[in-house]
Amino acid sequence: MKVGVVTFPGTLDDRDAARAVRFAGAQAISLWHGDEDLHGVDAVILPGGFSYGDYLRCGAISRFAPVMQTIIKRANEGMPLLGICNGFQVLCEAHLLPGALTRNHELHFLCRDQKISIENTTSAWTSSYTQGQEIVIPLKNGEGSFQCDDATLASLENEGRIIARYVGENPNGSRNLIAGITNARGNVVGLMPHPEHAIDTLTGPTADGLGFFTSLLHSMVNK
Amino acid sequence: MAKIVVDVMLKPEILDPQGTAVGAALPRLGFTFAKSVRQGKRFEIEIDGEATAEQLAQVEKAAETLLANPVIENFTVRVEK
């Protein structure tokens, strides 16, 4: 199975994302922002970083990159798509996910190991976890506060589309402690903390993040 | 040549931590007049000739597509004299 990892100008975490894909047992394919060809991949990851320098708004310019036009089309057809951190911001700007990520409420850039609970285990990226499972993975961002209107929040809650919530004190002011959400179909997931930085204890705080990548393999095999 | 100005502000219900920080800094400097501060963005777009209704409609469309995120922001478009 081939998983594409997109590199925009300013992307940071593409190598770790590709390593996590290989660690889970799939083949990682590098995708370039300026190339609309997805080179036969079965799924795509938009990794973290500061694409286009976060100019204008985080993800606002990347969302119009050539590669995104094909990704948006394929995601709407059901292709699994995971956006991590800056990738989550791109997914919101592309309207593949509702809401927006805004400045952390205390204005600080956060970099810490964060406990989150997995709230939805039916998406393409979370089936390896158990409902309510608490995991610890790095959180590192300046604009991670998830905001949306009341009606959108109610539908996310009622439809079980909140993938993960922060445990303990709210780190960034996200509504309802939201750390990640999915679309109605469950193939598109946006996540603010970084599972790709926690796939083994040699290089990360835990190996808790690997489940996002093994989930994808299971969901593709069982499709 | 005309100048078209697009002002972008976070919607009133969206938390503005930058504006709040500026609002907290003012009284420390002796400026005690501010009840609250909200921070926004301003785009100045120069065009050749006079701004026509059609051009303003295009700027409006661009503001909605790129300059502002309508999920969290409001914008206004005007011609600056």
Side-chain angles (χ1 to χ4, degrees):
Chain A
M1 193 173 93
K2 294 178 180 175
V3 181
V5 178
V6 177
T7 301
F8 297 101
T11 294
L12 297 179
D13 301 326
D14 41 352
R15 283 174 180 259
D16 270 17
R19 177 171 174 263
V21 165
R22 290 193 298 272
F23 223 80
Q27 188 184 352
I29 306 287
S30 290
L31 300 177
W32 184 239
H33 68 102
D35 182 1
E36 58 188 38
D37 186 350
L38 298 190
H39 300 274
V41 300
D42 305 293
V44 167
I45 296 173
L46 304 178
F50 300 86
S51 58
Y52 294 90
D54 277 352
Y55 290 172
L56 189 59
R57 295 177 307 277
C58 306
I61 299 176
S62 338
R63 171 251 182 281
F64 294 103
V67 73
M68 282 305 301
Q69 307 322 303
T70 319
I71 289 173
I72 291 168
K73 181 169 166 287
R74 291 280 309 279
N76 284 326
E77 293 164 2
M79 179 187 74
L81 174 60
L82 173 65
I84 304 166
C85 193
N86 188 220
F88 187 7
Q89 294 161 342
V90 174
L91 293 180
C92 288
E93 283 285 344
H95 307 304
L96 285 169
L97 292 174
L101 283 313
T102 63
R103 282 295 286 270
N104 294 345
H105 65 338
E106 303 280 2
L107 284 171
H108 297 295
F109 187 97
L110 296 177
C111 186
R112 59 161 77 152
D113 298 333
Q114 175 70 43
K115 187 184 280 185
I116 60 172
S117 69
I118 304 294
E119 305 271 316
N120 171 333
T121 58
T122 62
S123 84
W125 300 90
T126 51
S127 60
S128 292
Y129 296 102
T130 54
Q131 184 74 27
Q133 185 177 345
E134 293 189 349
I135 66 171
V136 174
I137 60 178
L139 176 69
K140 50 165 186 130
N141 61 71
E143 311 214 338
S145 178
F146 180 81
Q147 300 297 322
C148 62
D149 60 33
D150 292 342
T152 305
L153 190 65
S155 71
L156 287 172
E157 289 283 0
N158 296 336
E159 294 163 23
R161 287 168 52 193
I162 294 166
I163 281 288
R165 278 184 230 267
Y166 301 112
V167 176
E169 196 186 341
N170 193 331
N172 51 26
S174 285
R175 295 200 76 179
N176 291 21
L177 291 162
I178 287 174
I181 58 171
T182 184
N183 62 348
R185 198 168 178 165
N187 62 310
V188 180
V189 166
L191 189 69
M192 211 11 89
H194 290 262
E196 81 284 14
H197 294 329
I199 59 165
D200 68 358
T201 52
L202 178 67
T203 58
T206 66
D208 292 349
L210 188 61
F212 281 88
F213 307 94
T214 54
S215 295
L216 173 69
L217 267 72
H218 293 151
S219 69
M220 297 298 281
V221 168
N222 296 330
K223 198 165 68 171
Chain B
M1 197 178 70
K3 185 189 279 182
I4 301 172
V5 174
V6 181
D7 285 310
V8 179
M9 290 299 295
L10 281 173
K11 289 181 177 175
E13 66 270 25
I14 300 288
L15 190 71
D16 175 19
Q18 294 184 97
T20 307
V22 172
L26 285 173
R28 288 202 295 272
L29 301 172
F31 300 112
T32 53
F33 49 79
K35 185 159 168 273
S36 74
V37 178
R38 307 272 297 168
Q39 183 178 320
K41 289 190 192 104
R42 170 187 165 113
F43 299 86
E44 297 184 346
I45 302 164
E46 284 182 350
I47 58 165
D48 286 329
E50 293 301 301
T52 62
E54 190 190 345
Q55 275 168 329
L56 284 173
Q58 280 187 26
V59 172
E60 188 94 19
K61 182 78 186 155
E64 191 185 314
T65 308
L66 179 67
L67 304 183
N69 177 353
V71 175
I72 49 168
E73 294 168 326
N74 294 323
F75 65 87
T76 56
V77 176
R78 63 192 163 84
V79 182
E80 188 160 88
K81 298 295 175 208

